[in-house]
Amino acid sequence: MAQQYGFRASNNLSDVLNRNACLDNLGIDGRDLALLVGTSDAGVTEGDYQNIIGLTSNLEQQIVALASGASAILPPLLNKASRFGDVFTGSILASGINNDRPYYDAANAIYGPSTASFFSPANASGFASGAEYKLGPVFADTTTVSGLSFNGLAPAWNDYFVRYKEYLSLTEDSTSTVKKTPLYLAPPSSFSSNKVWLDAEFSSFVQGTGGEVEQWRDVLGRATAAQLTAVNRPTRTLNLRNGKPGVVFDGNNDFMSLGNLGTLFPSAATLIVVAALGEPNTRGDADYNLFSTLNNAAVRWRAGGTSGSLGAFTSAVQTGFPSPMPANGTYIFTVRASQALGLSFRTNSLETATRSNQFVQQITYAPGDTYVIGANANGAAGFFNGAIFSMALFDAVLTDKELRSLEEYFAWRFDFVYDPDRSQSVELENKQPLETEGGVPIVLG
């Protein structure tokens, strides 16, 4: 497949630099050009006649052929070459990826950034042979390179991606040096179904002088959790886990309201919450409500015993659900709900409670109208004692694979997973270091 210049195919840069070759490609006899110098366009004069009697061929035939070629070829070229790239539907086969810009070698052969971003797979009828030239990049839904297939959409890069412990290994062939590039975990906002994401590190806040949180804003500015009453505001505290902040609720009267977001989750919802129970205030919390959408004072994630009375995305309080629920520790909790699914609850990536609608309807999905964090109803009871690090809401039932990706994203950021690139001390649940008999803390990494 050759890059082409002029009205005839040429894949050699030396042809382009050679003026005689260019004239030959255009079908013009170069010997005639010198004779036309000084010819008048105001009418035939004796001087004009003396110039044109020496023509080696019929000038009119040359011009007519050239004009006809220009009329036939230039309009299609306008649709085939654009600095914005080509638009098409189909497969692209890339036989080589070279430099970041076109270049030519010692033999004057021309190379593009890659065969895929250089040529279009569309019909090349506008040329004598070869393909259509493209100046822009290539975007494809499906890309296959050396047996590696990708199906789906690649999310745009942003600062919320986090570098992961795994690396992608690349090699040109079996004898080449293996090169590695880091992989990154995608944030909740990379999912089109994500509607709300509150994060203690990435969100913006309106705070008082002591760190009291009046407004906790969605990372992308789509929603805001607010508390207008000063004594009911939680506090944003720095360096709680892995050097990252958390929003701390006192367990007495702190809570925040997102208002009525029911229209965002009309038929399905997934909620992911990263929270520490009790810490850093006191040890544990046996009666708490992390989040609810149902305006009912009875709702709890844990109601004094080992089970809860969940009031999130259902039309009624789910007494005895979920069960069991912990009173201590730091967790990634996940709730999924829809009329087709029913209700599912996960703790640290493991499904711990379900109420399925597959065979017998056990719950009725309802988006709710009272979205509250850290207490039930509008701060009537069930005050949460502990820290919330992040909370993400989606308007779909995420698949197990999607959930695993997001749960790993939060686990990696908030120190749930061993990181080989840094030292991590081994701690007990009470935050005291695990030590050897000689009193030396045990450190991984």
Side-chain angles (χ1 to χ4, degrees), residues 358-386:
Q358 183 176 5
F359 301 110
V360 177
Q361 180 176 322
Q362 298 191 63
I363 68 105
T364 298
Y365 178 84
D369 57 10
T370 310
Y371 285 60
V372 176
I373 303 169
N376 54 25
N378 272 315
F383 294 102
F384 171 60
N385 172 31

PDB file of all heavy atoms in Angstrom, residues 358-386:
ATOM      1  N   GLN A 358     -35.815 -13.703  41.564  1.00  0.00           N
ATOM      2  CA  GLN A 358     -35.765 -14.566  40.389  1.00  0.00           C
ATOM      3  C   GLN A 358     -36.974 -15.479  40.283  1.00  0.00           C
ATOM      4  O   GLN A 358     -37.563 -15.635  39.204  1.00  0.00           O
ATOM      5  CB  GLN A 358     -34.480 -15.393  40.403  1.00  0.00           C
ATOM      6  CG  GLN A 358     -34.321 -16.273  39.168  1.00  0.00           C
ATOM      7  CD  GLN A 358     -33.005 -17.016  39.147  1.00  0.00           C
ATOM      8  OE1 GLN A 358     -32.228 -16.948  40.094  1.00  0.00           O
ATOM      9  NE2 GLN A 358     -32.744 -17.748  38.065  1.00  0.00           N
ATOM     10  N   PHE A 359     -37.360 -16.102  41.387  1.00  0.00           N
ATOM     11  CA  PHE A 359     -38.489 -17.044  41.357  1.00  0.00           C
ATOM     12  C   PHE A 359     -39.705 -16.515  42.111  1.00  0.00           C
ATOM     13  O   PHE A 359     -40.840 -16.658  41.649  1.00  0.00           O
ATOM     14  CB  PHE A 359     -38.060 -18.391  41.950  1.00  0.00           C
ATOM     15  CG  PHE A 359     -36.911 -19.020  41.209  1.00  0.00           C
ATOM     16  CD1 PHE A 359     -35.651 -19.101  41.786  1.00  0.00           C
ATOM     17  CD2 PHE A 359     -37.073 -19.507  39.925  1.00  0.00           C
ATOM     18  CE1 PHE A 359     -34.584 -19.672  41.107  1.00  0.00           C
ATOM     19  CE2 PHE A 359     -36.022 -20.068  39.231  1.00  0.00           C
ATOM     20  CZ  PHE A 359     -34.762 -20.155  39.826  1.00  0.00           C
ATOM     21  N   VAL A 360     -39.455 -15.912  43.268  1.00  0.00           N
ATOM     22  CA  VAL A 360     -40.535 -15.338  44.072  1.00  0.00           C
ATOM     23  C   VAL A 360     -40.148 -13.907  44.425  1.00  0.00           C
ATOM     24  O   VAL A 360     -39.023 -13.665  44.874  1.00  0.00           O
ATOM     25  CB  VAL A 360     -40.771 -16.143  45.366  1.00  0.00           C
ATOM     26  CG1 VAL A 360     -41.855 -15.479  46.203  1.00  0.00           C
ATOM     27  CG2 VAL A 360     -41.141 -17.577  45.039  1.00  0.00           C
ATOM     28  N   GLN A 361     -41.031 -12.961  44.201  1.00  0.00           N
ATOM     29  CA  GLN A 361     -40.708 -11.570  44.505  1.00  0.00           C
ATOM     30  C   GLN A 361     -40.573 -11.359  45.999  1.00  0.00           C
ATOM     31  O   GLN A 361     -41.508 -11.606  46.769  1.00  0.00           O
ATOM     32  CB  GLN A 361     -41.774 -10.637  43.947  1.00  0.00           C
ATOM     33  CG  GLN A 361     -41.482  -9.164  44.225  1.00  0.00           C
ATOM     34  CD  GLN A 361     -42.471  -8.222  43.587  1.00  0.00           C
ATOM     35  OE1 GLN A 361     -42.926  -8.466  42.469  1.00  0.00           O
ATOM     36  NE2 GLN A 361     -42.818  -7.158  44.292  1.00  0.00           N
ATOM     37  N   GLN A 362     -39.380 -10.918  46.414  1.00  0.00           N
ATOM     38  CA  GLN A 362     -39.132 -10.674  47.837  1.00  0.00           C
ATOM     39  C   GLN A 362     -39.031  -9.191  48.171  1.00  0.00           C
ATOM     40  O   GLN A 362     -39.244  -8.811  49.331  1.00  0.00           O
ATOM     41  CB  GLN A 362     -37.839 -11.377  48.283  1.00  0.00           C
ATOM     42  CG  GLN A 362     -37.876 -12.891  48.142  1.00  0.00           C
ATOM     43  CD  GLN A 362     -36.709 -13.546  48.839  1.00  0.00           C
ATOM     44  OE1 GLN A 362     -36.569 -13.437  50.065  1.00  0.00           O
ATOM     45  NE2 GLN A 362     -35.864 -14.228  48.078  1.00  0.00           N
ATOM     46  N   ILE A 363     -38.697  -8.374  47.171  1.00  0.00           N
ATOM     47  CA  ILE A 363     -38.622  -6.929  47.411  1.00  0.00           C
ATOM     48  C   ILE A 363     -39.254  -6.209  46.229  1.00  0.00           C
ATOM     49  O   ILE A 363     -39.365  -6.753  45.133  1.00  0.00           O
ATOM     50  CB  ILE A 363     -37.163  -6.448  47.615  1.00  0.00           C
ATOM     51  CG1 ILE A 363     -36.356  -6.578  46.312  1.00  0.00           C
ATOM     52  CG2 ILE A 363     -36.494  -7.208  48.732  1.00  0.00           C
ATOM     53  CD1 ILE A 363     -36.101  -5.283  45.595  1.00  0.00           C
ATOM     54  N   THR A 364     -39.665  -4.985  46.459  1.00  0.00           N
ATOM     55  CA  THR A 364     -40.133  -4.107  45.393  1.00  0.00           C
ATOM     56  C   THR A 364     -39.160  -2.949  45.264  1.00  0.00           C
ATOM     57  O   THR A 364     -38.924  -2.220  46.242  1.00  0.00           O
ATOM     58  CB  THR A 364     -41.542  -3.562  45.695  1.00  0.00           C
ATOM     59  OG1 THR A 364     -42.459  -4.660  45.781  1.00  0.00           O
ATOM     60  CG2 THR A 364     -42.004  -2.606  44.605  1.00  0.00           C
ATOM     61  N   TYR A 365     -38.590  -2.818  44.080  1.00  0.00           N
ATOM     62  CA  TYR A 365     -37.615  -1.751  43.895  1.00  0.00           C
ATOM     63  C   TYR A 365     -38.297  -0.386  43.938  1.00  0.00           C
ATOM     64  O   TYR A 365     -39.375  -0.188  43.383  1.00  0.00           O
ATOM     65  CB  TYR A 365     -36.892  -1.894  42.552  1.00  0.00           C
ATOM     66  CG  TYR A 365     -35.897  -0.775  42.310  1.00  0.00           C
ATOM     67  CD1 TYR A 365     -34.614  -0.839  42.826  1.00  0.00           C
ATOM     68  CD2 TYR A 365     -36.271   0.361  41.587  1.00  0.00           C
ATOM     69  CE1 TYR A 365     -33.713   0.200  42.637  1.00  0.00           C
ATOM     70  CE2 TYR A 365     -35.371   1.408  41.382  1.00  0.00           C
ATOM     71  CZ  TYR A 365     -34.097   1.322  41.913  1.00  0.00           C
ATOM     72  OH  TYR A 365     -33.208   2.352  41.732  1.00  0.00           O
ATOM     73  N   ALA A 366     -37.647   0.566  44.607  1.00  0.00           N
ATOM     74  CA  ALA A 366     -38.125   1.951  44.652  1.00  0.00           C
ATOM     75  C   ALA A 366     -36.906   2.857  44.795  1.00  0.00           C
ATOM     76  O   ALA A 366     -36.055   2.613  45.659  1.00  0.00           O
ATOM     77  CB  ALA A 366     -39.084   2.160  45.816  1.00  0.00           C
ATOM     78  N   PRO A 367     -36.780   3.882  43.965  1.00  0.00           N
ATOM     79  CA  PRO A 367     -35.596   4.746  44.042  1.00  0.00           C
ATOM     80  C   PRO A 367     -35.517   5.570  45.313  1.00  0.00           C
ATOM     81  O   PRO A 367     -34.435   5.983  45.726  1.00  0.00           O
ATOM     82  CB  PRO A 367     -35.738   5.641  42.809  1.00  0.00           C
ATOM     83  CG  PRO A 367     -37.189   5.635  42.484  1.00  0.00           C
ATOM     84  CD  PRO A 367     -37.677   4.271  42.863  1.00  0.00           C
ATOM     85  N   GLY A 368     -36.670   5.814  45.965  1.00  0.00           N
ATOM     86  CA  GLY A 368     -36.677   6.587  47.197  1.00  0.00           C
ATOM     87  C   GLY A 368     -36.581   8.080  46.948  1.00  0.00           C
ATOM     88  O   GLY A 368     -36.295   8.536  45.839  1.00  0.00           O
ATOM     89  N   ASP A 369     -36.797   8.853  48.014  1.00  0.00           N
ATOM     90  CA  ASP A 369     -36.783  10.304  47.877  1.00  0.00           C
ATOM     91  C   ASP A 369     -36.040  11.017  49.001  1.00  0.00           C
ATOM     92  O   ASP A 369     -36.028  12.244  49.070  1.00  0.00           O
ATOM     93  CB  ASP A 369     -38.210  10.853  47.788  1.00  0.00           C
ATOM     94  CG  ASP A 369     -39.059  10.458  48.994  1.00  0.00           C
ATOM     95  OD1 ASP A 369     -38.501   9.931  49.980  1.00  0.00           O
ATOM     96  OD2 ASP A 369     -40.284  10.671  48.947  1.00  0.00           O
ATOM     97  N   THR A 370     -35.413  10.247  49.925  1.00  0.00           N
ATOM     98  CA  THR A 370     -34.702  10.852  51.057  1.00  0.00           C
ATOM     99  C   THR A 370     -33.321  10.228  51.155  1.00  0.00           C
ATOM    100  O   THR A 370     -33.123   9.218  51.837  1.00  0.00           O
ATOM    101  CB  THR A 370     -35.480  10.639  52.380  1.00  0.00           C
ATOM    102  OG1 THR A 370     -36.842  11.021  52.196  1.00  0.00           O
ATOM    103  CG2 THR A 370     -34.865  11.455  53.507  1.00  0.00           C
ATOM    104  N   TYR A 371     -32.366  10.828  50.464  1.00  0.00           N
ATOM    105  CA  TYR A 371     -31.011  10.276  50.399  1.00  0.00           C
ATOM    106  C   TYR A 371     -30.171  10.877  51.537  1.00  0.00           C
ATOM    107  O   TYR A 371     -29.791  12.054  51.491  1.00  0.00           O
ATOM    108  CB  TYR A 371     -30.388  10.587  49.041  1.00  0.00           C
ATOM    109  CG  TYR A 371     -30.943   9.736  47.916  1.00  0.00           C
ATOM    110  CD1 TYR A 371     -32.298   9.753  47.589  1.00  0.00           C
ATOM    111  CD2 TYR A 371     -30.111   8.907  47.176  1.00  0.00           C
ATOM    112  CE1 TYR A 371     -32.807   8.972  46.566  1.00  0.00           C
ATOM    113  CE2 TYR A 371     -30.601   8.119  46.142  1.00  0.00           C
ATOM    114  CZ  TYR A 371     -31.956   8.161  45.847  1.00  0.00           C
ATOM    115  OH  TYR A 371     -32.453   7.372  44.829  1.00  0.00           O
ATOM    116  N   VAL A 372     -29.916  10.043  52.544  1.00  0.00           N
ATOM    117  CA  VAL A 372     -29.255  10.503  53.771  1.00  0.00           C
ATOM    118  C   VAL A 372     -28.001   9.681  54.027  1.00  0.00           C
ATOM    119  O   VAL A 372     -27.986   8.461  53.832  1.00  0.00           O
ATOM    120  CB  VAL A 372     -30.214  10.416  54.983  1.00  0.00           C
ATOM    121  CG1 VAL A 372     -29.499  10.812  56.269  1.00  0.00           C
ATOM    122  CG2 VAL A 372     -31.421  11.307  54.754  1.00  0.00           C
ATOM    123  N   ILE A 373     -26.941  10.332  54.504  1.00  0.00           N
ATOM    124  CA  ILE A 373     -25.669   9.686  54.837  1.00  0.00           C
ATOM    125  C   ILE A 373     -25.410   9.852  56.329  1.00  0.00           C
ATOM    126  O   ILE A 373     -25.450  10.965  56.858  1.00  0.00           O
ATOM    127  CB  ILE A 373     -24.504  10.322  54.049  1.00  0.00           C
ATOM    128  CG1 ILE A 373     -24.758  10.257  52.545  1.00  0.00           C
ATOM    129  CG2 ILE A 373     -23.178   9.653  54.398  1.00  0.00           C
ATOM    130  CD1 ILE A 373     -23.784  11.096  51.741  1.00  0.00           C
ATOM    131  N   GLY A 374     -25.147   8.720  57.021  1.00  0.00           N
ATOM    132  CA  GLY A 374     -24.730   8.774  58.419  1.00  0.00           C
ATOM    133  C   GLY A 374     -25.834   8.722  59.441  1.00  0.00           C
ATOM    134  O   GLY A 374     -25.567   8.789  60.643  1.00  0.00           O
ATOM    135  N   ALA A 375     -27.082   8.601  59.008  1.00  0.00           N
ATOM    136  CA  ALA A 375     -28.223   8.474  59.925  1.00  0.00           C
ATOM    137  C   ALA A 375     -29.412   8.024  59.104  1.00  0.00           C
ATOM    138  O   ALA A 375     -29.325   7.904  57.878  1.00  0.00           O
ATOM    139  CB  ALA A 375     -28.525   9.793  60.640  1.00  0.00           C
ATOM    140  N   ASN A 376     -30.550   7.737  59.747  1.00  0.00           N
ATOM    141  CA  ASN A 376     -31.734   7.351  58.988  1.00  0.00           C
ATOM    142  C   ASN A 376     -32.693   8.530  58.880  1.00  0.00           C
ATOM    143  O   ASN A 376     -32.528   9.543  59.554  1.00  0.00           O
ATOM    144  CB  ASN A 376     -32.431   6.146  59.624  1.00  0.00           C
ATOM    145  CG  ASN A 376     -32.753   6.377  61.082  1.00  0.00           C
ATOM    146  OD1 ASN A 376     -32.903   7.501  61.520  1.00  0.00           O
ATOM    147  ND2 ASN A 376     -32.843   5.303  61.844  1.00  0.00           N
ATOM    148  N   ALA A 377     -33.721   8.346  58.022  1.00  0.00           N
ATOM    149  CA  ALA A 377     -34.691   9.405  57.755  1.00  0.00           C
ATOM    150  C   ALA A 377     -33.938  10.717  57.555  1.00  0.00           C
ATOM    151  O   ALA A 377     -33.019  10.785  56.747  1.00  0.00           O
ATOM    152  CB  ALA A 377     -35.713   9.487  58.885  1.00  0.00           C
ATOM    153  N   ASN A 378     -34.290  11.749  58.286  1.00  0.00           N
ATOM    154  CA  ASN A 378     -33.549  13.009  58.195  1.00  0.00           C
ATOM    155  C   ASN A 378     -32.860  13.305  59.522  1.00  0.00           C
ATOM    156  O   ASN A 378     -33.000  14.380  60.107  1.00  0.00           O
ATOM    157  CB  ASN A 378     -34.478  14.156  57.813  1.00  0.00           C
ATOM    158  CG  ASN A 378     -34.602  14.285  56.302  1.00  0.00           C
ATOM    159  OD1 ASN A 378     -33.609  14.222  55.600  1.00  0.00           O
ATOM    160  ND2 ASN A 378     -35.822  14.439  55.822  1.00  0.00           N
ATOM    161  N   GLY A 379     -32.111  12.324  59.972  1.00  0.00           N
ATOM    162  CA  GLY A 379     -31.343  12.503  61.197  1.00  0.00           C
ATOM    163  C   GLY A 379     -32.124  12.208  62.451  1.00  0.00           C
ATOM    164  O   GLY A 379     -31.910  12.838  63.491  1.00  0.00           O
ATOM    165  N   ALA A 380     -33.013  11.226  62.397  1.00  0.00           N
ATOM    166  CA  ALA A 380     -33.811  10.889  63.573  1.00  0.00           C
ATOM    167  C   ALA A 380     -33.088   9.920  64.497  1.00  0.00           C
ATOM    168  O   ALA A 380     -33.202  10.000  65.727  1.00  0.00           O
ATOM    169  CB  ALA A 380     -35.151  10.285  63.147  1.00  0.00           C
ATOM    170  N   ALA A 381     -32.322   8.977  63.942  1.00  0.00           N
ATOM    171  CA  ALA A 381     -31.658   7.961  64.768  1.00  0.00           C
ATOM    172  C   ALA A 381     -30.641   7.225  63.900  1.00  0.00           C
ATOM    173  O   ALA A 381     -30.441   7.542  62.726  1.00  0.00           O
ATOM    174  CB  ALA A 381     -32.696   6.982  65.346  1.00  0.00           C
ATOM    175  N   GLY A 382     -30.004   6.196  64.475  1.00  0.00           N
ATOM    176  CA  GLY A 382     -29.058   5.384  63.724  1.00  0.00           C
ATOM    177  C   GLY A 382     -27.803   6.134  63.314  1.00  0.00           C
ATOM    178  O   GLY A 382     -27.231   5.858  62.253  1.00  0.00           O
ATOM    179  N   PHE A 383     -27.345   7.057  64.154  1.00  0.00           N
ATOM    180  CA  PHE A 383     -26.182   7.869  63.803  1.00  0.00           C
ATOM    181  C   PHE A 383     -24.928   7.007  63.699  1.00  0.00           C
ATOM    182  O   PHE A 383     -24.621   6.213  64.592  1.00  0.00           O
ATOM    183  CB  PHE A 383     -25.981   8.983  64.829  1.00  0.00           C
ATOM    184  CG  PHE A 383     -27.086   9.995  64.827  1.00  0.00           C
ATOM    185  CD1 PHE A 383     -28.074   9.960  65.805  1.00  0.00           C
ATOM    186  CD2 PHE A 383     -27.166  10.956  63.834  1.00  0.00           C
ATOM    187  CE1 PHE A 383     -29.110  10.883  65.799  1.00  0.00           C
ATOM    188  CE2 PHE A 383     -28.196  11.880  63.829  1.00  0.00           C
ATOM    189  CZ  PHE A 383     -29.171  11.843  64.799  1.00  0.00           C
ATOM    190  N   PHE A 384     -24.205   7.213  62.617  1.00  0.00           N
ATOM    191  CA  PHE A 384     -23.008   6.430  62.320  1.00  0.00           C
ATOM    192  C   PHE A 384     -21.802   6.982  63.066  1.00  0.00           C
ATOM    193  O   PHE A 384     -21.554   8.187  63.071  1.00  0.00           O
ATOM    194  CB  PHE A 384     -22.745   6.442  60.813  1.00  0.00           C
ATOM    195  CG  PHE A 384     -21.430   5.855  60.403  1.00  0.00           C
ATOM    196  CD1 PHE A 384     -21.116   4.527  60.704  1.00  0.00           C
ATOM    197  CD2 PHE A 384     -20.495   6.620  59.726  1.00  0.00           C
ATOM    198  CE1 PHE A 384     -19.899   3.982  60.333  1.00  0.00           C
ATOM    199  CE2 PHE A 384     -19.276   6.090  59.336  1.00  0.00           C
ATOM    200  CZ  PHE A 384     -18.976   4.773  59.645  1.00  0.00           C
ATOM    201  N   ASN A 385     -21.063   6.062  63.704  1.00  0.00           N
ATOM    202  CA  ASN A 385     -19.829   6.417  64.393  1.00  0.00           C
ATOM    203  C   ASN A 385     -18.666   5.828  63.602  1.00  0.00           C
ATOM    204  O   ASN A 385     -18.485   4.605  63.576  1.00  0.00           O
ATOM    205  CB  ASN A 385     -19.838   5.862  65.824  1.00  0.00           C
ATOM    206  CG  ASN A 385     -18.490   6.043  66.508  1.00  0.00           C
ATOM    207  OD1 ASN A 385     -17.768   7.003  66.232  1.00  0.00           O
ATOM    208  ND2 ASN A 385     -18.146   5.107  67.386  1.00  0.00           N
ATOM    209  N   GLY A 386     -17.897   6.691  62.941  1.00  0.00           N
ATOM    210  CA  GLY A 386     -16.782   6.193  62.146  1.00  0.00           C
ATOM    211  C   GLY A 386     -16.456   7.150  61.011  1.00  0.00           C
ATOM    212  O   GLY A 386     -16.832   8.326  61.034  1.00  0.00           O
TER     213      GLY A 386
END
